[in-house]
Amino acid sequence: MARNSPRVGPRNPQVVVLVGATGDLSRRKLLTGLFHLCSAGFIPDCRIVGVSLDEIDADAFRGLAREALGKFYPRPVDEAAWSEFARRLDYVPMAAGADALRQAVHAAERDLGGESRRIHYLSVPPSAALPAVRLLAEAELTKSCRIIMEKPFGVDVESAVLLNSQLHEHFTEEQIFRIDHFLGKEAAQNILAFRFANGLFEPIWNRNFIDHVQIDVPETLGLAMRAGFYEQTGAFRDMVVTHLFQILAFMAMEPPTALEPKPISEEKNKVFRSMVPLDPRHVVRGQYVGYRDEEGVDPDSDTETFIALRCGIDNWRWAGVPFFLRTGKRLAQGQRIISIAFREPPKSMFPPGSGVGVQGPDHLTFDLADSSKMSLSFYGKRPGPGMRLDKVSMQFAMHETGLIGDVLEAYERLILDAMRGDHTLFTTAEGIERLWQVAVPLLESPPPVRLYEQGSWGPKNIHQLIAPHAWRLPFERAWRDPNNNGA
């Protein structure tokens, strides 16, 4: 299949208006991703108009983009491809106003010729989203276009409802793409394939066979250049509502009638409607030691850099099954896993000392890293006389298939989907507003922030939260190296 076929990329050339073009996300992911999509032929052609508060010109923006590629692009940068990409870049400082932006976009469209499409990417914090929308409206750029909104989408129910209503003054719901880059990962999409393409697992994907679920996304990173943004949001708003709950929906939803945007969105929204409002007694908030000393952070900040919580889904499939979610900054490891613990046998026929049950229940684990992996652990007999059991596992890793080079980075995949008008991996207004409703008890009565050391796994009371179970991370056994025969 050709890379620029409609199933992979858009049919038409694209004009991308990148608001927040000099920010951290733009430099790390968006400019590098657009460079790859253009140079690899996924997009027929494009022009990128950067917009930001920085008072720089187009040449300085090109310099910033080249620096970002040198620092964050995971492949060698072909200089001929860079020269071609550089001529696609333009820049308009926010202070230049709507007229300058409109002229730059129209110039880009004329340069492309033919029938191009317009897409706006708002890589800005929640407080800047509406001013950016008003700028686009004043520039008369809201018709016949699509708009990608970065997370978090609002900071509570009221702000999300207001943002949706004001967005709908300028854009239809079909034009709006609320991005969650976790859903763009191959591993996240593999959950759908794993569940619904195989008759082996879907029959046991319910409360009768699953004991509990963990969605665990610790990060070793700190704030980078995001202190101002992070002080407005914290770990819950930044990660849980916009990432972990979305992954939970993929894991917990009923089979959609088709692998299409509307059926998938409806099944995800059913999960959100069934979620029990969060109980602050089942939430641990933490802040790493030294956070208040970071540049741009309030010395008395109560912002959480860590959160762990227990939530539930009150429907026939999941009633009584606890879902444990954890994420935070400056933790011991950077991981992204979903771990599903199956119920243990009701009675053991094995003799004392056999080892059965010693290493906990059987687990199915999805690693959501770009180089995705899956593992199914279970008890098996140790070779030799007697009945001695050990935990063993079957594992799959994407890099074993020889197809790892075909994996698109999550932002790249989602940008392509938005250009094509495919909402499958994006969130809806209804879903976002419902999740903020679920969060109301926590936002109104948050538990106190507890300090934790950098490089740890968070505050000590996370173990009380999950008891009598245990956190899967850190793993007792490493993922198997396919280059040797060890487990």
Side-chain angles (χ1 to χ4, degrees):
M1 177 168 43
R3 282 187 167 182
N4 63 353
S5 75
R7 293 185 59 193
V8 178
R11 290 178 181 271
N12 303 100
Q14 304 285 315
V15 174
V16 181
V17 178
L18 181 54
V19 184
T22 61
D24 186 62
L25 175 63
S26 176
R27 293 184 305 110
R28 287 178 177 274
K29 296 293 185 181
L30 305 182
L31 289 170
T32 54
L34 287 166
F35 172 76
H36 180 229
L37 294 177
C38 290
S39 60
F42 286 101
I43 305 173
D45 200 355
C46 84
R47 297 293 181 270
I48 300 163
V49 180
V51 182
S52 187
L53 293 173
D54 291 303
E55 292 281 349
I56 59 175
D57 60 15
D59 285 338
F61 181 51
R62 294 183 188 107
L64 179 146
R66 185 62 184 88
E67 181 183 355
L69 288 175
K71 192 171 183 180
F72 302 115
Y73 192 60
R75 308 169 183 87
V77 178
D78 180 83
E79 288 304 322
W82 158 249
S83 297
E84 179 65 19
F85 184 71
R87 75 173 186 82
R88 295 180 162 113
L89 299 178
D90 196 5
Y91 184 84
V92 178
M94 193 81 73
D99 287 342
L101 177 58
R102 179 171 57 253
Q103 291 171 20
V105 171
H106 289 170
E109 291 171 339
R110 288 193 301 271
D111 192 29
L112 285 172
E115 190 176 354
S116 62
R117 295 288 184 269
R118 189 183 299 160
I119 186 162
H120 308 302
Y121 196 122
L122 269 56
S123 178
V124 296
S127 60
L130 285 177
V133 168
R134 286 192 287 269
L135 175 66
L136 295 173
E138 187 180 346
E140 301 177 353
L141 298 175
T142 60
K143 304 299 182 185
S144 302
C145 70
R146 297 176 176 124
I147 182 168
I148 301 176
M149 305 291 296
E150 258 299 330
K151 55 89 177 174
F153 196 85
V155 295
D156 53 24
V157 175
E158 292 76 15
S159 61
V161 170
L162 177 63
L163 183 52
N164 277 324
S165 66
Q166 296 194 350
L167 265 178
H168 289 151
E169 293 177 6
H170 305 288
F171 302 97
T172 67
E173 183 65 16
E174 287 297 308
Q175 290 179 273
I176 303 169
F177 293 77
R178 299 170 187 83
I179 198 167
D180 170 20
H181 74 269
F182 273 43
L183 298 188
K185 294 181 177 295
E186 287 286 341
Q189 297 166 60
N190 225 346
I191 297 171
L192 298 181
F194 190 88
R195 287 189 59 190
F196 302 131
N198 301 295
L200 178 62
F201 287 98
E202 182 57 24
I204 62 171
W205 209 266
N206 56 60
R207 59 186 171 82
N208 296 320
F209 298 94
I210 292 178
D211 184 73
H212 67 278
V213 177
Q214 295 180 34
I215 302 175
D216 208 351
V217 187
E219 296 181 296
T220 57
L221 297 174
L223 301 184
M225 298 165 55
R226 302 168 71 228
F229 165 80
Y230 207 79
E231 276 287 274
Q232 297 177 42
T233 57
F236 178 74
R237 291 179 170 93
D238 183 39
M239 290 292 292
V240 177
V241 174
T242 48
H243 290 328
L244 275 62
F245 280 164
Q246 303 297 331
I247 292 294
L248 181 152
F250 261 27
M251 187 269 160
M253 72 187 207
E254 297 296 322
T257 56
L259 195 66
E260 296 174 355
K262 287 185 178 179
I264 289 177
S265 293
E266 177 55 25
E267 295 305 334
K268 286 175 57 185
N269 287 342
K270 286 180 183 177
V271 173
F272 298 150
R273 289 195 291 267
S274 300
M275 287 181 66
V276 180
L278 298 179
D279 186 341
R281 295 174 299 176
H282 298 151
V283 177
V284 175
R285 295 171 69 235
Q287 186 185 93
Y288 65 77
V289 175
Y291 172 76
R292 296 177 183 178
D293 299 326
E294 301 264 12
E295 184 178 353
V297 172
D298 184 340
D300 299 316
S301 175
D302 192 45
T303 300
E304 79 279 354
T305 61
F306 171 97
I307 191 158
L309 58 89
R310 169 179 173 165
C311 63
I313 301 171
D314 191 19
N315 62 17
W316 277 56
R317 185 182 288 261
W318 297 113
V321 177
F323 288 74
F324 298 99
L325 281 56
R326 176 173 66 170
T327 187
K329 300 287 188 185
R330 298 288 189 192
L331 295 177
Q333 294 180 17
Q335 297 272 3
R336 298 168 180 175
I337 71 155
I338 303 172
S339 190
I340 298 158
F342 293 99
R343 293 193 183 278
E344 298 189 69
K347 184 174 175 60
S348 175
M349 64 182 183
F350 296 95
S354 65
V356 68
V358 171
Q359 297 181 60
D362 301 337
H363 283 87
L364 175 64
T365 302
F366 294 87
D367 186 330
L368 301 183
D370 290 330
S371 179
S372 58
K373 295 182 283 233
M374 290 185 291
S375 172
L376 178 63
S377 69
F378 51 90
Y379 285 99
K381 182 185 177 299
R382 180 186 296 179
M387 183 56 73
R388 178 71 183 173
L389 304 181
D390 282 329
K391 247 322 170 39
V392 295
S393 67
M394 293 188 296
Q395 296 184 5
F396 161 82
M398 183 63 71
H399 61 254
E400 294 175 347
T401 67
L403 299 175
I404 189 67
D406 293 340
V407 174
L408 285 177
E409 201 277 334
Y411 280 99
E412 296 171 0
R413 165 65 189 268
L414 292 169
I415 289 170
L416 279 184
D417 283 356
M419 288 177 172
R420 291 170 46 230
D422 186 342
H423 281 85
T424 303
L425 301 177
F426 294 85
T427 57
T428 65
E430 177 189 342
I432 289 291
E433 290 176 13
R434 170 58 188 164
L435 289 174
W436 285 121
Q437 291 170 358
V438 169
V440 165
L442 173 60
L443 297 179
E444 290 183 345
S445 303
V449 163
R450 298 172 181 265
L451 296 179
Y452 63 94
E453 294 295 330
Q454 296 186 38
S456 71
W457 284 97
K460 298 276 192 295
N461 57 335
I462 59 170
H463 304 294
Q464 297 169 334
L465 173 71
I466 202 170
H469 315 296
W471 293 102
R472 284 278 281 156
L473 290 176
F475 286 131
E476 293 182 4
R477 297 179 303 281
W479 288 94
R480 186 163 54 240
D481 183 349
N483 297 318
N484 64 51
N485 296 322

